[in-house]
PDB file of all heavy atoms in Angstrom:
ATOM      1  N   LEU A  18       7.064  10.383  -2.876  1.00 90.00           N
ATOM      2  CA  LEU A  18       8.204  11.170  -2.432  1.00 90.00           C
ATOM      3  C   LEU A  18       8.824  11.983  -3.554  1.00 90.00           C
ATOM      4  O   LEU A  18       9.243  13.117  -3.366  1.00 90.00           O
ATOM      5  CB  LEU A  18       9.273  10.249  -1.821  1.00 90.00           C
ATOM      6  CG  LEU A  18       8.838   9.422  -0.608  1.00 90.00           C
ATOM      7  CD1 LEU A  18       9.983   8.541  -0.137  1.00 90.00           C
ATOM      8  CD2 LEU A  18       8.359  10.332   0.518  1.00 90.00           C
ATOM      9  N   LYS A  19       8.874  11.388  -4.746  1.00 86.00           N
ATOM     10  CA  LYS A  19       9.524  12.052  -5.869  1.00 86.00           C
ATOM     11  C   LYS A  19       9.128  11.344  -7.151  1.00 86.00           C
ATOM     12  O   LYS A  19       8.941  10.128  -7.162  1.00 86.00           O
ATOM     13  CB  LYS A  19      11.054  12.021  -5.701  1.00 86.00           C
ATOM     14  CG  LYS A  19      11.839  12.688  -6.809  1.00 86.00           C
ATOM     15  CD  LYS A  19      13.336  12.569  -6.554  1.00 86.00           C
ATOM     16  CE  LYS A  19      14.154  13.160  -7.680  1.00 86.00           C
ATOM     17  NZ  LYS A  19      15.610  13.016  -7.461  1.00 86.00           N
ATOM     18  N   ALA A  20       9.030  12.106  -8.225  1.00 82.00           N
ATOM     19  CA  ALA A  20       8.784  11.517  -9.536  1.00 82.00           C
ATOM     20  C   ALA A  20       9.602  12.291 -10.549  1.00 82.00           C
ATOM     21  O   ALA A  20       9.565  13.528 -10.573  1.00 82.00           O
ATOM     22  CB  ALA A  20       7.305  11.568  -9.898  1.00 82.00           C
ATOM     23  N   ASP A  21      10.384  11.576 -11.347  1.00 80.00           N
ATOM     24  CA  ASP A  21      11.145  12.219 -12.399  1.00 80.00           C
ATOM     25  C   ASP A  21      11.215  11.283 -13.595  1.00 80.00           C
ATOM     26  O   ASP A  21      10.500  10.275 -13.650  1.00 80.00           O
ATOM     27  CB  ASP A  21      12.547  12.627 -11.916  1.00 80.00           C
ATOM     28  CG  ASP A  21      13.372  11.446 -11.401  1.00 80.00           C
ATOM     29  OD1 ASP A  21      13.167  10.304 -11.890  1.00 80.00           O
ATOM     30  OD2 ASP A  21      14.227  11.654 -10.523  1.00 80.00           O
ATOM     31  N   SER A  22      12.089  11.603 -14.544  1.00 78.00           N
ATOM     32  CA  SER A  22      12.157  10.830 -15.775  1.00 78.00           C
ATOM     33  C   SER A  22      12.691   9.422 -15.566  1.00 78.00           C
ATOM     34  O   SER A  22      12.556   8.576 -16.454  1.00 78.00           O
ATOM     35  CB  SER A  22      13.032  11.573 -16.793  1.00 78.00           C
ATOM     36  OG  SER A  22      12.531  12.866 -17.039  1.00 78.00           O
ATOM     37  N   PHE A  23      13.315   9.170 -14.417  1.00 83.00           N
ATOM     38  CA  PHE A  23      13.890   7.860 -14.155  1.00 83.00           C
ATOM     39  C   PHE A  23      13.033   7.022 -13.222  1.00 83.00           C
ATOM     40  O   PHE A  23      13.494   6.016 -12.697  1.00 83.00           O
ATOM     41  CB  PHE A  23      15.305   8.008 -13.598  1.00 83.00           C
ATOM     42  CG  PHE A  23      16.271   8.575 -14.596  1.00 83.00           C
ATOM     43  CD1 PHE A  23      16.806   9.835 -14.422  1.00 83.00           C
ATOM     44  CD2 PHE A  23      16.629   7.865 -15.726  1.00 83.00           C
ATOM     45  CE1 PHE A  23      17.686  10.374 -15.340  1.00 83.00           C
ATOM     46  CE2 PHE A  23      17.501   8.389 -16.651  1.00 83.00           C
ATOM     47  CZ  PHE A  23      18.037   9.652 -16.468  1.00 83.00           C
ATOM     48  N   GLY A  24      11.781   7.422 -13.028  1.00 87.00           N
ATOM     49  CA  GLY A  24      10.878   6.598 -12.234  1.00 87.00           C
ATOM     50  C   GLY A  24      10.173   7.388 -11.156  1.00 87.00           C
ATOM     51  O   GLY A  24      10.324   8.608 -11.020  1.00 87.00           O
ATOM     52  N   ARG A  25       9.410   6.655 -10.383  1.00 92.00           N
ATOM     53  CA  ARG A  25       8.624   7.246  -9.306  1.00 92.00           C
ATOM     54  C   ARG A  25       9.043   6.622  -7.983  1.00 92.00           C
ATOM     55  O   ARG A  25       9.171   5.400  -7.876  1.00 92.00           O
ATOM     56  CB  ARG A  25       7.135   6.986  -9.558  1.00 92.00           C
ATOM     57  CG  ARG A  25       6.179   7.649  -8.585  1.00 92.00           C
ATOM     58  CD  ARG A  25       4.748   7.434  -9.068  1.00 92.00           C
ATOM     59  NE  ARG A  25       3.781   8.198  -8.265  1.00 92.00           N
ATOM     60  CZ  ARG A  25       3.237   7.757  -7.143  1.00 92.00           C
ATOM     61  NH1 ARG A  25       3.560   6.542  -6.681  1.00 92.00           N
ATOM     62  NH2 ARG A  25       2.374   8.490  -6.480  1.00 92.00           N
ATOM     63  N   ILE A  26       9.265   7.461  -6.979  1.00 94.00           N
ATOM     64  CA  ILE A  26       9.681   6.992  -5.663  1.00 94.00           C
ATOM     65  C   ILE A  26       8.553   7.251  -4.686  1.00 94.00           C
ATOM     66  O   ILE A  26       8.028   8.366  -4.612  1.00 94.00           O
ATOM     67  CB  ILE A  26      10.969   7.693  -5.199  1.00 94.00           C
ATOM     68  CG1 ILE A  26      12.085   7.490  -6.224  1.00 94.00           C
ATOM     69  CG2 ILE A  26      11.397   7.164  -3.832  1.00 94.00           C
ATOM     70  CD1 ILE A  26      13.359   8.231  -5.884  1.00 94.00           C
ATOM     71  N   ALA A  27       8.174   6.208  -3.946  1.00 95.00           N
ATOM     72  CA  ALA A  27       7.046   6.331  -3.019  1.00 95.00           C
ATOM     73  C   ALA A  27       7.355   5.633  -1.711  1.00 95.00           C
ATOM     74  O   ALA A  27       8.144   4.684  -1.654  1.00 95.00           O
ATOM     75  CB  ALA A  27       5.782   5.741  -3.642  1.00 95.00           C
ATOM     76  N   LEU A  28       6.724   6.123  -0.668  1.00 96.00           N
ATOM     77  CA  LEU A  28       6.795   5.488   0.647  1.00 96.00           C
ATOM     78  C   LEU A  28       5.673   4.459   0.714  1.00 96.00           C
ATOM     79  O   LEU A  28       4.504   4.785   0.473  1.00 96.00           O
ATOM     80  CB  LEU A  28       6.636   6.543   1.737  1.00 96.00           C
ATOM     81  CG  LEU A  28       6.992   6.131   3.172  1.00 96.00           C
ATOM     82  CD1 LEU A  28       8.452   5.746   3.277  1.00 96.00           C
ATOM     83  CD2 LEU A  28       6.683   7.293   4.122  1.00 96.00           C
ATOM     84  N   MET A  29       6.040   3.215   1.013  1.00 96.00           N
ATOM     85  CA  MET A  29       5.106   2.104   0.966  1.00 96.00           C
ATOM     86  C   MET A  29       5.006   1.423   2.327  1.00 96.00           C
ATOM     87  O   MET A  29       5.866   1.583   3.192  1.00 96.00           O
ATOM     88  CB  MET A  29       5.561   1.076  -0.075  1.00 96.00           C
ATOM     89  CG  MET A  29       5.921   1.634  -1.439  1.00 96.00           C
ATOM     90  SD  MET A  29       4.487   2.215  -2.369  1.00 96.00           S
ATOM     91  CE  MET A  29       3.633   0.661  -2.672  1.00 96.00           C
ATOM     92  N   ARG A  30       3.951   0.623   2.483  1.00 96.00           N
ATOM     93  CA  ARG A  30       3.799  -0.199   3.681  1.00 96.00           C
ATOM     94  C   ARG A  30       3.235  -1.556   3.288  1.00 96.00           C
ATOM     95  O   ARG A  30       2.294  -1.647   2.481  1.00 96.00           O
ATOM     96  CB  ARG A  30       2.865   0.458   4.693  1.00 96.00           C
ATOM     97  CG  ARG A  30       2.775  -0.312   6.033  1.00 96.00           C
ATOM     98  CD  ARG A  30       1.616   0.186   6.893  1.00 96.00           C
ATOM     99  NE  ARG A  30       1.730   1.589   7.202  1.00 96.00           N
ATOM    100  CZ  ARG A  30       2.434   2.082   8.224  1.00 96.00           C
ATOM    101  NH1 ARG A  30       3.095   1.251   9.023  1.00 96.00           N
ATOM    102  NH2 ARG A  30       2.472   3.376   8.449  1.00 96.00           N
ATOM    103  N   ASP A  31       3.827  -2.615   3.834  1.00 93.00           N
ATOM    104  CA  ASP A  31       3.268  -3.954   3.681  1.00 93.00           C
ATOM    105  C   ASP A  31       3.559  -4.731   4.960  1.00 93.00           C
ATOM    106  O   ASP A  31       3.838  -4.123   6.008  1.00 93.00           O
ATOM    107  CB  ASP A  31       3.812  -4.648   2.420  1.00 93.00           C
ATOM    108  CG  ASP A  31       5.297  -4.956   2.489  1.00 93.00           C
ATOM    109  OD1 ASP A  31       5.912  -4.725   3.567  1.00 93.00           O
ATOM    110  OD2 ASP A  31       5.856  -5.424   1.489  1.00 93.00           O
ATOM    111  N   ALA A  32       3.519  -6.046   4.883  1.00 90.00           N
ATOM    112  CA  ALA A  32       3.732  -6.856   6.084  1.00 90.00           C
ATOM    113  C   ALA A  32       5.123  -6.661   6.684  1.00 90.00           C
ATOM    114  O   ALA A  32       5.338  -6.900   7.875  1.00 90.00           O
ATOM    115  CB  ALA A  32       3.509  -8.328   5.751  1.00 90.00           C
ATOM    116  N   ARG A  33       6.071  -6.210   5.851  1.00 84.00           N
ATOM    117  CA  ARG A  33       7.432  -5.963   6.337  1.00 84.00           C
ATOM    118  C   ARG A  33       7.540  -4.661   7.109  1.00 84.00           C
ATOM    119  O   ARG A  33       8.516  -4.423   7.813  1.00 84.00           O
ATOM    120  CB  ARG A  33       8.415  -5.920   5.159  1.00 84.00           C
ATOM    121  CG  ARG A  33       8.494  -7.198   4.360  1.00 84.00           C
ATOM    122  CD  ARG A  33       9.339  -7.013   3.107  1.00 84.00           C
ATOM    123  NE  ARG A  33       8.704  -6.109   2.145  1.00 84.00           N
ATOM    124  CZ  ARG A  33       9.191  -5.870   0.924  1.00 84.00           C
ATOM    125  NH1 ARG A  33      10.314  -6.446   0.533  1.00 84.00           N
ATOM    126  NH2 ARG A  33       8.548  -5.053   0.105  1.00 84.00           N
ATOM    127  N   GLY A  34       6.559  -3.785   6.941  1.00 93.00           N
ATOM    128  CA  GLY A  34       6.602  -2.461   7.557  1.00 93.00           C
ATOM    129  C   GLY A  34       6.710  -1.386   6.492  1.00 93.00           C
ATOM    130  O   GLY A  34       6.326  -1.581   5.334  1.00 93.00           O
ATOM    131  N   VAL A  35       7.275  -0.243   6.866  1.00 96.00           N
ATOM    132  CA  VAL A  35       7.412   0.890   5.953  1.00 96.00           C
ATOM    133  C   VAL A  35       8.713   0.754   5.169  1.00 96.00           C
ATOM    134  O   VAL A  35       9.760   0.401   5.721  1.00 96.00           O
ATOM    135  CB  VAL A  35       7.402   2.215   6.733  1.00 96.00           C
ATOM    136  CG1 VAL A  35       7.617   3.405   5.794  1.00 96.00           C
ATOM    137  CG2 VAL A  35       6.086   2.374   7.489  1.00 96.00           C
TER     138      VAL A  35
END
Side-chain angles (χ1 to χ4, degrees):
L18 300 179
K19 180 181 177 182
D21 58 30
S22 303
F23 293 112
R25 185 173 187 273
I26 303 176
L28 193 62
M29 311 289 293
R30 185 193 301 275
D31 67 5
R33 299 172 293 186
V35 177

